[in-house]
Each structure stands twice: as C-alpha cells, then as structure tokens.
Amino acid sequence: MTGIFLQEYICLVQATLSALAEPNRRQIVDLLRRKPRAVGEIVERLGLRQPQVSKHLRVLSEAGLVEAHPVAQQRIYSLRAQPLRELDEWLEPYRRRWDERFNQLDDVLRDLKRKDKEKRDGHGK
Amino acid sequence: MTGIFLQEYICLVQATLSALAEPNRRQIVDLLRRKPRAVGEIVERLGLRQPQVSKHLRVLSEAGLVEAHPVAQQRIYSLRAQPLRELDEWLEPYRRRWDERFNQLDDVLRDLKRKDKEKRDGHGK
DNA sequence: TGAATATATACCTTGACGGGAATATTCCTG
DNA sequence: CAGGAATATTCCCGTCAAGGTATATATTCA
C-alpha cells in the first residue's frame, strides 16, 4: 500500500498496475465492468470470503479504480474510468510502434557489429 | 514468480500486470520502448545495481515482455509486442464503455430503491 | 431498543519479493 | 591459458501483502 502511494506521485498508472497485479482484484474489476455491484454479490460470484473482498475493494478504491455508493446497509461499488484511461494512454506510444516492431533490433545489432569491427580494425595488427 | 506462473494459465495478461506492477520493471520497459539496450546501459540509465537489473530482466523475460540477444559478452534486451498487445486487448471492452460511463450507476441505484420501496410496500402495515 | 443483515476493520501468521553483497559464468583478448 | 569485462546467480535478510478468523460498525426492521 505504501508502495502504491510512493509511486503515485511519479505516475498514477503505477498505482493502477499495482492494484491490478493481484488476480482477485483484476477479477473484481472485470466483474464490475458489466455493472456496479454490492459487496455481497462479488463475494458470491467470485467465491471469496467477505473480508478479503472488502480489503481488495479498499485497495482498488485507494487506487481510484472503484468507488462506493451506500444504499441502506449495502455498498454498491462501481468502476471509475479515469485510471484505466490513463493505463490506455500509457500504452499509446507502444501501440504506435508495435507494427513496425519495437525494436530496430536488427539495426542495433548491426550497429554493434560495426563498432566491433571498427574496434578490431583500429587495434589491427 | 510462482504467482505469475500460476496465473499464466488463466490469463496471460495477469503475468503482464504482475511484471509491470514493480516500478523499476516498468521503468525498464519504458526505457526499452525507444530501443533495445544492453544490461549495462539499463544499469547506468536507471541508477540501479547490476544484479537487481538482471533479476528484473529475468522476471520480465519470463513474462514474455522482453527477450535477450547475446552479442559477445553483452546481452541486448528488447521488448516483445505480444504481451502489451494482450493488455491492450484486455482494455478493449473497457474502452468501448467509458464514454457512456461504465456504470449504469444511476440505473442500478434507481433499481435498488425501487426494490426497496416494493419490499416496504409489500410488508406495508 | 434489540435482532438481523451487510460491510468494514483488527490482529495474527505466513510466504513471496525486492534489495544488498559476494560469487559464478560466459565470452573476448592478448 | 590468464585476465578482464559483462552478465547471471546465490544467499541472506527485512518488509509487505494476502489470507484466515474474530470482531466492530452501520443500517434496517420489528
């Protein structure tokens, strides 16, 4: 948790990634994608224990991924778009590249071999 | 590490998320986005110690996020597109919704209140 | 007010993970 | 083959996070 907060300054996307790294939390998020749900529903659907679900929801909530709306004794949790949008934005520069393959790997390797050769020749006996 | 593998069956995107949850690893990935690099370069640029960088690269590699290409004593690491693509695909259904706001939160809340009222009326004294 | 429902919190324990430092491995060069 | 450079691996340690169980809090209803 402190980890999340420390990174939050640097980059909100980090908090999102940390929160989603936990499988059960990602499942919860996936579940809430369809529609908002009360804690009890999540407990049922995922077959987890209520306290753990509450704890996961807390983490998700602190990461801004979900928000709670009290209704009687229930708390209806729903997804918030922003963090996932930011994750999407983080992916943007990658998306733009992965057609032309990220790496000019070939270029880089060719480069290295060139330098290698030069070095070798420079020292040439 | 075992955690990543356990989830890998279920969903490769989970492995990606777990790997990226670590701030230094995400930094490494961001660094490799521009171009492939040798371990030493990463060490320099990020100001981390060589063993930790190697360890992080191992995790990233096992998650399929990077791959190594040996050149002399160096190992040039480059990004692999697939895992990030899958992350992108995972986001797809979210993207499609976050304009119309995920939640039919209002709907759901209205629903709950209706049920509430019905219940109340049903029992009505 | 007291019982019941829904949810949150506290406390404990355990396992995994990340960093630090030392060492092993691999490959090149002379 | 010896030495050096680049990288990987090992071992130890502290911390943190997740699960389990019990309990607290809040809200409704009778």
Side-chain angles (χ1 to χ4, degrees):
Chain A
M1 198 147 315
T2 78
I4 291 181
F5 278 106
L6 278 177
Q7 300 309 326
E8 202 154 15
Y9 299 117
I10 300 171
C11 181
L12 194 147
V13 85
Q14 193 65 62
T16 305
L17 289 170
S18 299
L20 294 176
E22 216 289 323
N24 291 321
R25 282 199 289 267
R26 200 185 49 83
Q27 275 198 278
I28 292 177
V29 168
D30 276 338
L31 187 57
L32 293 183
R33 176 164 49 95
R34 324 198 66 193
K35 66 173 188 178
R37 296 188 189 272
V39 179
E41 274 185 278
I42 303 176
V43 169
E44 261 186 47
R45 297 240 173 189
L46 300 190
L48 304 176
R49 323 227 171 192
Q50 179 266 317
Q52 341 300 346
V53 170
S54 279
K55 283 187 245 181
H56 285 313
L57 284 169
R58 184 176 225 281
V59 174
L60 289 171
S61 165
E62 276 166 356
L65 275 160
V66 304
E67 58 189 1
H69 305 264
V71 171
Q73 318 99 316
Q74 310 193 63
R75 310 196 76 200
I76 312 297
Y77 280 88
S78 62
L79 272 188
R80 281 176 20 93
Q82 200 211 0
L84 291 175
R85 269 211 199 94
E86 300 218 10
L87 183 54
D88 192 57
E89 283 171 28
W90 178 76
L91 276 175
E92 176 56 19
Y94 293 90
R95 259 190 304 263
R96 256 180 288 158
R97 293 219 175 178
W98 62 41
D99 307 307
E100 4 154 354
R101 288 179 42 247
F102 282 122
N103 34 26
Q104 312 83 352
L105 216 209
D106 304 333
D107 307 354
V108 172
L109 293 184
R110 201 177 309 122
D111 248 43
L112 281 172
K113 276 172 196 157
R114 192 179 41 73
K115 280 187 198 160
D116 217 45
K117 188 149 182 294
E118 277 171 14
K119 190 168 125 204
R120 202 187 315 272
D121 290 356
H123 286 290
K125 282 200 176 169
Chain B
M1 198 146 317
T2 79
I4 290 181
F5 278 107
L6 278 176
Q7 299 310 323
E8 201 155 12
Y9 300 117
I10 299 170
C11 182
L12 194 148
V13 83
Q14 193 65 63
T16 305
L17 289 169
S18 299
L20 293 176
E22 217 288 325
N24 291 320
R25 282 199 289 266
R26 200 185 49 83
Q27 274 197 279
I28 292 178
V29 168
D30 277 337
L31 188 56
L32 293 183
R33 177 162 51 92
R34 325 199 67 193
K35 67 172 188 179
R37 294 185 190 275
V39 179
E41 275 185 276
I42 302 175
V43 169
E44 261 186 46
R45 297 240 173 190
L46 299 189
L48 304 174
R49 323 228 169 191
Q50 180 265 319
Q52 342 298 344
V53 170
S54 279
K55 284 187 248 181
H56 284 314
L57 284 170
R58 183 178 228 282
V59 175
L60 289 172
S61 166
E62 278 166 353
L65 276 160
V66 304
E67 58 189 0
H69 305 265
V71 171
Q73 318 101 315
Q74 309 192 64
R75 310 196 75 200
I76 311 299
Y77 280 88
S78 62
L79 271 188
R80 283 176 19 93
Q82 199 210 1
L84 291 175
R85 270 211 199 94
E86 299 218 11
L87 183 55
D88 192 57
E89 283 171 28
W90 177 75
L91 276 175
E92 175 57 19
Y94 293 91
R95 259 191 303 263
R96 255 180 288 158
R97 292 220 175 178
W98 62 41
D99 306 307
E100 5 156 353
R101 289 180 41 244
F102 282 121
N103 33 25
Q104 312 82 352
L105 217 208
D106 305 332
D107 308 353
V108 172
L109 293 183
R110 200 178 308 121
D111 249 43
L112 282 171
K113 276 171 194 155
R114 189 176 43 72
K115 281 186 198 160
D116 217 46
K117 190 150 181 293
E118 276 170 15
K119 190 167 125 204
R120 202 189 314 274
D121 291 355
H123 287 289
K125 284 201 172 164

